[in-house]
Amino acid sequence: MSEELTQKLSELLREVTGFIYPNEVEIHWSILIVVYPYITGLVAGAFILASLVQVFNVREVQPTYRLSLLTALAFLLIAPLPLLLHLGHPERAYEIFLTPQLGSAMAVFGFVYLWYLMAVLLLEIWFEYRQNLVVWSRQEKPPMSWLHAALSLFSRDISERAVEFDHKAIRVITVIGIPSAFLLHGYVGFIFGSVKANPWWSSVLMPVVFLMSAIVSGIALVIFLYMVLTPLRGAQIDMKCLDKIASYLFYAVIVDFTLEGLDFIHRLYESEESIKILSTLVTDKLFISLWVIQILLGMLIPLAIMVAVKSLKFNDELRKLFYFVSVIMIQLGIFATRWNVVIGGQLFSKSFRGLTIYKMDVAGVEGLIVALGLLILPFIVLAILLKILPPWEATEAREGAVR
Amino acid sequence: MKIMNRRKFLKKAILFIPAVGVLRRLVGDAHGKATAEGYDPANHLYGMGIDIDKCIGCGLCIDACKNENNVPKEPFFCRTWVERYVIKKDGSVVVESIETGKEKGRQKTNEADILRSFFVPKLCNQCENPPCVQVCPVGATFATEDGVVLVDSKRCIGCRYCIQACPYGARYLHPETRTADKCTFCYHRIVKGLLPACVEVCPTQARIFGDLKSMASRLVRFKRTKRIHVLKPHLNTEPKVYYASLDGEVR
Ligand code: SF4
Ligand code: SF4
């Protein structure tokens, strides 16, 4: 292991430009730490979309409400994995709970995570599905009926009063949930934004930028899932719903773009000690991932598409196509955003005199294959969740009732 | 001589106040370090002076440190290293670490082009206000009462947050233990009254180790007689490694 590492570092050393501190040859936070904020961002974004239905009573978005919740849960369950795998001693991870050093942003992760999982997501999903679970457990044959009965925690009351209580509970949880979602991801931004040693990270805007990009990616993901899953089960895509979510996405991208632009101009204008090395960083090492993928493909082109969709009257099919292409590009762009923050922040020396490079492993714990696996895993979890807690029936029944 | 007397005095003082002694011992044990009989961390505050004019870039300190502290021999893992600065007449600056420089093949600068050149030994600054301690999620990195920042390798989970947070590149992940590692001022030696290995081996006495709480220490004299400076003062980490004749180009 050590020899392999030494060989790798010797190779890297040859590609270092300028001067870096000797301990900086090794890039410490790898692709897994890119995946981690990407995934938590999706959680926060999907949840915030779901909350729109509850808090602002946006009827059109109702068809994606349960899907958003389950998406958030699926990704949240996987979120700690990249962190865990990246530790030098994963078997000691529980120390974060036993002996947390509360001054550390990272120590708070465990608590924010548990709070969000237990107090917000699981509760909200439980109340949302409770009535269905009871009904399902009565209608079905074992073993599904057992499972659903167990999931309902063996509650049986589906009287009007009980269901009314469920709805009230959901509203309360959502009100707590929104700030919690903000906390979950804003805090991930804080992990980076509070590192004063690193001028690329150190910024008060970091948590806010993280949050906005999280909302963008979460909404884009739910649109993607909705557009893929609905035809798969032979149903019709609700265009009113799609248009509405897409316009949320549009505004979120604009805010995100503005914030990042502000951050950029601010740095350029202040022109601190680090400006030279950061300019080299963005024009050289990060050229493709920042200018081409994050900004051009991930923001400008999707924005242009959505402006076109809004101003020109395309038919449904064309709109669907445009939305679909946009959300994929946006997703790519947000992944690049995470990459540029995490990897970009480690490519320059804290002596501001040189740059190193990051060569991603393919195999190995911190390699590409594991990273891809971690990105696919939430979809598998989601598939299982969708089987156990089908989100559609109730929505459609409810819609029918409204009509 | 003075130091010896102080130590004897301390020994007696602690014998007279057994309760305090027991408490201290407990604290010492909690930190997992064997300290010399009667050593009281409350009476010390360690720091180091670096006299840049004296450093000849021989690199003996690097070897001594690696041997003393089981630091991997490769030049990417350093508790201490030495940077070589060449400032040319056209204003450009060439910097390299003398170890990695060897590995990379040194670029020769034409002597006529050189304005000035010098060596700068670097190590953990044992900051008074250490960001590495602040960010450690499990408290594995901690500051001792006598002013040394240590890593408890039995508790460190290897998250590497501290490595990111150190502005000086003083930390690395030890490839064998998979935990964060960095200069300890040879804590196991200094609590016994010995000098850190790098200080002991330096042929020109470019490294000056001492106790800031003892007016008689060489370090206090060094601080009194030299114009001293610390690295990256604007980050408010309050380093306890003091440089004399530090050039503005050094970061
Ligand atoms: S120099 Fe770095 S490792 Fe040493 S105490 Fe300061 S911040 Fe921590
Ligand atoms: S790598 Fe170890 S010492 Fe450093 S912050 Fe993480 S747990 Fe603490």
Side-chain angles (χ1 to χ4, degrees), chain A residues 89 92 104 191 350 353, chain B residues 135 156 161 177 232 235 249:
Chain A
H89 284 274
R92 293 182 194 163
S104 161
I191 287 189
K350 291 185 183 120
R353 286 190 182 279
Chain B
V135 300
C156 170
Y161 201 8
T177 60
K232 303 192 184 189
L235 290 176
E249 290 292 350

Side-chain angles (χ1 to χ4, degrees), chain B residues 19-230:
Chain B
V20 177
V22 169
L23 256 179
R24 291 286 171 226
R25 182 71 61 80
L26 282 177
V27 173
D29 284 352
H31 290 169
K33 292 278 169 194
T35 55
E37 208 38 41
Y39 177 83
D40 185 353
N43 293 328
H44 305 274
L45 188 70
Y46 296 112
M48 191 183 285
I50 308 258
D51 201 340
I52 291 180
D53 289 339
K54 284 190 179 163
C55 178
I56 54 171
C58 65
L60 286 177
C61 48
I62 305 171
D63 296 339
C65 172
K66 294 208 173 203
N67 288 333
E68 179 72 30
N69 296 302
N70 187 28
V71 177
K73 294 286 174 281
E74 292 77 19
F76 330 103
F77 310 102
C78 296
R79 283 184 173 204
T80 184
W81 66 99
V82 178
E83 292 167 9
R84 173 173 177 268
Y85 283 72
V86 176
I87 298 173
K88 296 200 216 159
K89 287 187 177 139
D90 63 4
S92 61
V93 186
V94 183
V95 189
E96 62 186 20
S97 142
I98 60 171
E99 285 278 284
T100 49
K102 253 185 256 159
E103 186 117 336
K104 257 182 117 173
R106 173 161 303 161
Q107 313 152 264
K108 271 254 185 234
T109 316
N110 193 347
E111 227 162 280
D113 295 338
I114 299 177
L115 185 62
R116 59 181 190 278
S117 99
F118 50 87
F119 295 99
V120 183
K122 293 259 185 102
L123 67 161
C124 165
N125 288 285
Q126 313 292 357
C127 309
E128 252 322 278
N129 185 14
C132 56
V133 172
Q134 184 185 34
V135 300
C136 178
V138 294
T141 284
F142 62 96
T144 61
E145 207 177 351
D146 38 9
V148 182
V149 173
L150 299 177
V151 184
D152 180 350
S153 63
K154 295 211 182 63
R155 180 174 287 185
C156 170
I157 58 175
C159 69
R160 315 186 185 199
Y161 201 8
C162 54
I163 303 177
Q164 305 288 2
C166 170
Y168 306 100
R171 291 175 165 253
Y172 65 96
L173 194 90
H174 199 294
E176 273 147 39
T177 60
R178 313 273 309 143
T179 55
D181 194 42
K182 70 168 202 53
C183 165
T184 58
F185 271 173
C186 286
Y187 198 71
H188 57 291
R189 293 172 58 94
I190 59 178
V191 293
K192 292 187 210 137
L194 300 170
L195 287 172
C198 58
V199 176
E200 194 165 81
V201 80
C202 178
T204 62
Q205 306 200 0
R207 293 178 182 243
I208 296 104
F209 182 78
D211 185 345
L212 293 162
K213 282 193 177 166
S214 150
M215 286 314 284
S217 83
R218 283 188 62 209
L219 182 63
V220 172
R221 190 162 2 115
F222 176 80
K223 280 186 76 183
R224 201 167 50 224
T225 55
K226 304 277 183 182
R227 303 273 172 275
I228 57 160
H229 202 59
V230 293

Side-chain angles (χ1 to χ4, degrees), chain A residues 321-332:
Chain A
L321 180 69
F322 279 141
Y323 288 151
F324 197 70
V325 172
S326 307
V327 295
I328 291 178
M329 286 167 81
I330 286 176
Q331 213 54 261
L332 208 67

